[in-house]
Amino acid sequence: MTRHPQLATDAPGTPHPVSTCSWCARHLIVATVEQLRCWLCPNPSCYQRQIDVAIFVDYSAKRAKEFGLPKAGRYCFHVPLPSQVPIYELGSKGGVIVWGARKGPGKSLGCRRWLYWRSIMVPGHEALLLRENWDQLIDQHTRHMTYEVPLLGGRWMEGDKRAVFGKGSDEAVITCGHMSEASSITRYQGGNKGAIVADEGSLYPVDAMGASVLSELRSVARWVGTDRNGKTVYPVMAVPTNPGGPSADYLRQMAIDKTPDYDMFPRLRPVYDESGAITEGYDPSRWVYLDAKIEDNPYLPPTYRQENLTGLSEVRYKQFAEADWWSFEGMFFPMWRADVHVRQAVWAA
């Protein structure tokens, strides 16, 4: 049996037996960054990309004592895995990022901490962090935010389910909520957000016409700001999710197949200028799909796929372990896949 690595006790430089860098495929290694034990790629260029978006906090002696830290100084709170870094790099460009596929790569935690980073780096930033319902929101996010946000120098407001960083005009806010029914969208219609995380977005409902609420939710991401380095930050909606659910087809069409339903969304038909550039409608370059893999996450047991996923139904295994967006319950031909079994017709002259 593959040995489960011990991050807290294994010597720095110890390689992970399974998890590899999503860029160079080298095995991740145990490392220490400003008091924090974490997993890094040994390749210097990959390592630097991780460190460039890591979250560091400076603690006074008083705050260090408050949080049980040994002394004042600079501490590292979070170093993103290589698979998590693209959320930071692509997020500043705006658009929609669907971080999807397999179960277990660290998508939910990665996006929550990306919102922390963005709130610290961009004064006045406002963000939404959503789950399908309140129970999921509490279990996956807010129960952790109650202690993570103060560690980062922010304030957690339990009654409002809101994290606040900074003060005055610099104040940045993460508002947490749910999308349990299609009408939940009315809670957020007046927003002006710099970032939206629609966690497990494929599970979100569709309206009476069959349109995913994600299509309307995207309209709330419209705030443009400037980060502390003077760079423009554009609005983005990130959707960390697995295949399967009411909104899965919408995400597949928009981010993977790049074939919007123009009957459902007629205004998405592209309009081009004389140079061929898209001036209105659907722009496929604004929809990015990141393929998450189980092997991306070194914090999972090396036997996770074998012990935790093989007992699923065939459809759920395909969705959770193989990232099959074309598999769903009740398929007449369970082996069918659009990317394999559909070909563009070629008409004879």
Side-chain angles (χ1 to χ4, degrees), residues 15-322:
H16 194 282
V18 176
S19 291
T20 56
C21 175
S22 56
W23 302 314
C24 71
R26 295 177 66 174
H27 283 261
L28 302 181
I29 62 171
V30 174
T32 302
V33 178
E34 299 289 0
Q35 325 298 326
L36 178 71
R37 280 293 186 111
C38 59
W39 293 101
L40 293 176
C41 177
N43 185 324
S45 61
C46 300
Y47 161 90
Q48 191 59 51
R49 286 175 70 180
Q50 291 182 258
I51 296 301
D52 284 346
V53 292
I55 301 176
F56 295 93
V57 185
D58 291 315
Y59 288 102
S60 64
K62 179 180 179 181
R63 282 186 59 79
K65 183 178 180 181
E66 179 183 351
F67 293 115
L69 300 173
K71 60 180 180 180
R74 190 176 191 234
Y75 287 82
C76 183
F77 172 79
H78 177 61
V79 177
L81 298 169
S83 59
Q84 296 171 333
V85 171
I87 293 289
Y88 295 74
E89 296 176 341
L90 293 169
S92 63
K93 301 175 183 178
V96 181
I97 303 169
V98 178
W99 188 14
R102 298 154 187 86
K103 194 174 184 68
K107 304 185 297 294
S108 295
L109 181 143
C111 280
R112 181 175 76 249
R113 294 191 172 181
W114 167 65
L115 288 183
Y116 293 158
W117 180 83
R118 196 157 163 126
S119 298
I120 293 168
M121 289 296 296
V122 186
H125 188 268
E126 291 196 21
L128 276 178
L129 174 56
L130 306 174
R131 283 285 297 209
E132 181 193 6
N133 56 54
W134 280 117
D135 289 342
Q136 291 179 355
L137 180 72
I138 293 168
D139 183 63
Q140 295 296 319
H141 292 296
T142 60
R143 69 186 181 92
H144 304 290
M145 297 175 78
T146 58
Y147 62 86
E148 288 177 342
V149 170
L151 279 172
L152 293 169
R155 306 182 300 282
W156 174 250
M157 300 180 176
E158 177 62 28
D160 296 329
K161 293 289 188 291
R162 183 173 296 174
V164 181
F165 298 86
K167 296 180 180 179
S169 60
D170 281 358
E171 186 175 272
V173 178
I174 303 172
T175 300
C176 301
H178 71 84
M179 196 64 68
S180 59
E181 58 273 328
S183 61
S184 299
I185 190 66
T186 60
R187 300 169 181 262
Y188 317 112
Q189 284 175 332
N192 187 24
K193 308 301 181 186
I196 298 172
V197 169
D199 196 8
E200 292 297 350
S202 66
L203 298 177
Y204 291 11
V206 296
D207 64 18
M209 301 299 293
S212 169
V213 294
L214 292 170
S215 62
E216 189 169 346
L217 185 62
R218 190 193 175 195
S219 68
V220 181
R222 56 187 184 228
W223 183 84
V224 179
T226 304
D227 70 16
R228 298 189 185 278
N229 296 321
K231 295 180 180 179
T232 302
V233 175
Y234 295 96
V236 62
M237 183 168 80
V239 189
T241 190
N242 304 118
S247 289
D249 272 355
Y250 172 76
L251 293 172
R252 176 179 56 78
Q253 292 167 8
M254 299 293 286
I256 302 174
D257 294 348
K258 309 283 187 177
T259 55
D261 184 343
Y262 292 129
D263 291 329
M264 178 74 71
F265 306 106
R267 298 290 181 178
L268 284 180
R269 292 186 184 278
V271 176
Y272 302 89
D273 63 18
E274 294 180 354
S275 68
I278 298 174
T279 58
E280 294 181 35
Y282 174 73
D283 182 349
S285 69
R286 305 296 292 161
W287 287 79
V288 178
Y289 179 67
L290 299 177
D291 185 22
K293 299 178 176 63
I294 294 171
E295 292 74 22
D296 291 339
N297 189 355
Y299 299 98
L300 287 175
T303 56
Y304 175 75
R305 182 195 298 269
Q306 174 188 348
E307 295 188 0
N308 296 73
L309 300 182
T310 52
L312 296 170
S313 69
E314 182 64 9
V315 168
R316 295 305 265 174
Y317 184 84
K318 285 183 175 181
Q319 292 173 343
F320 288 172
E322 298 178 353

